[in-house]
Amino acid sequence: MNARFIDWIWNVRGSVSLAPGQSARQAFDRLDPLFHEYGTTYTRSDDTLVFEKKDQPAQDKMSVFDRGVLTIEDGAQGPVLTYRLTSRILLFCFLAPLLFLAFGQLSVAVANWEEAHMTPAEKARIEKKEAAKKDKVLPQHPIDKFLGAPAPEAPKKDEKKKDGEKDEKKKGKGLSPTPAYVFAGIFAFLYLVGRVLEDRLVHRLFRKRLNHDALAS
């Protein structure tokens, strides 16, 4: 399988047309300040700039990217800056939902396995404890008693039966994977927003740097 079919997950690619009459050297001179941030190292040739970032601060406008390659190429309408930027954060946000779903399903499987291998004595002991909690009537608070509030009543048989049916349904379902689904949804949302937003932000950043009027302002 061609790696390009999947590396779009953590790589951002794009291109920006150079200003009319702008040379490759002038273009890289305008982009040069972006690579003077803390933790950034880069090498530059006539038509290529390769950079790498480590422990980059949040103030860095390109902090989400860990490395990348920028190249000046000849396009149909003149020189074009093409870039490929790699981000470990995007990869993590893409994989995190899968990991949370796997952990959630694993916990459900373990809980179901433990319940299936529970001895009758253990089940009876657990049911006895649950029944004792339901039948137990909490003592009335002294303030409530002083104010004349009625004493709490023991649960009725019908209510006990309904509660028992609910507990049986819960036992049948096992451990809920809802928390895993929630976290998976959060990270999936972060990935989608980050993938689209960072693509647009870095394209706009390069375009402004390469544009004479934007730089002058």
Side-chain angles (χ1 to χ4, degrees):
M1 180 185 291
N2 192 338
R4 186 153 185 169
F5 285 108
I6 61 172
D7 71 354
W8 57 268
I9 295 171
W10 64 91
N11 284 278
V12 172
R13 289 181 172 86
S15 61
V16 181
S17 298
L18 270 61
Q22 191 176 61
S23 65
R25 180 177 179 180
Q26 291 172 333
F28 283 140
D29 285 344
R30 294 184 180 278
L31 296 174
D32 197 73
L34 296 175
F35 306 102
H36 288 178
E37 299 288 346
Y38 173 83
T40 303
T41 57
Y42 72 99
T43 58
R44 172 178 161 182
S45 62
D46 293 338
D47 58 357
T48 303
L49 186 151
V50 180
F51 74 90
E52 185 172 355
K53 293 179 178 289
K54 185 177 181 181
D55 299 328
Q56 55 268 40
Q59 296 80 4
D60 187 346
K61 294 181 180 179
M62 297 176 61
S63 61
V64 72
F65 302 109
D66 302 289
R67 62 183 61 88
V69 179
L70 289 75
T71 307
I72 304 295
E73 300 177 352
D74 292 328
Q77 299 179 352
V80 176
L81 170 73
T82 62
Y83 55 87
R84 178 174 62 84
L85 312 175
T86 302
S87 172
R88 287 180 294 183
I89 295 178
L90 289 178
L91 179 60
F92 172 78
C93 289
F94 180 85
L95 295 177
L98 304 178
L99 293 176
F100 276 111
L101 291 177
F103 286 136
Q105 293 304 311
L106 179 62
S107 63
V108 171
V110 170
N112 291 338
W113 183 87
E114 291 179 347
E115 185 177 354
H117 290 76
M118 191 179 297
T119 63
E122 291 175 336
K123 291 183 179 180
R125 185 169 63 252
I126 293 174
E127 290 175 358
K128 187 176 180 180
K129 288 183 179 180
E130 292 178 351
K133 290 180 181 179
K134 293 176 184 175
D135 293 339
K136 185 178 179 181
V137 180
L138 296 176
Q140 187 178 22
H141 196 277
I143 296 178
D144 294 336
K145 187 175 182 179
F146 176 78
L147 296 175
E153 298 179 358
K156 299 178 180 179
K157 292 183 179 181
D158 292 342
E159 292 178 354
K160 291 181 184 179
K161 186 177 181 181
K162 290 180 181 178
D163 292 339
E165 292 175 354
K166 291 180 181 177
D167 291 340
E168 290 298 327
K169 290 180 180 179
K170 289 180 180 179
K171 289 179 183 178
K173 291 181 180 178
L175 183 64
S176 173
T178 301
Y181 291 148
V182 171
F183 280 106
I186 291 173
F187 278 100
F189 176 77
L190 290 176
Y191 173 76
L192 292 175
V193 173
R195 183 64 178 79
V196 174
L197 183 62
E198 292 299 333
D199 190 349
R200 294 182 178 180
L201 288 177
V202 75
H203 184 272
R204 185 172 63 181
L205 178 64
F206 289 159
R207 186 181 61 194
K208 284 185 176 181
R209 283 283 175 177
L210 294 173
N211 185 276
H212 290 277
D213 296 334
L215 186 64
S217 60

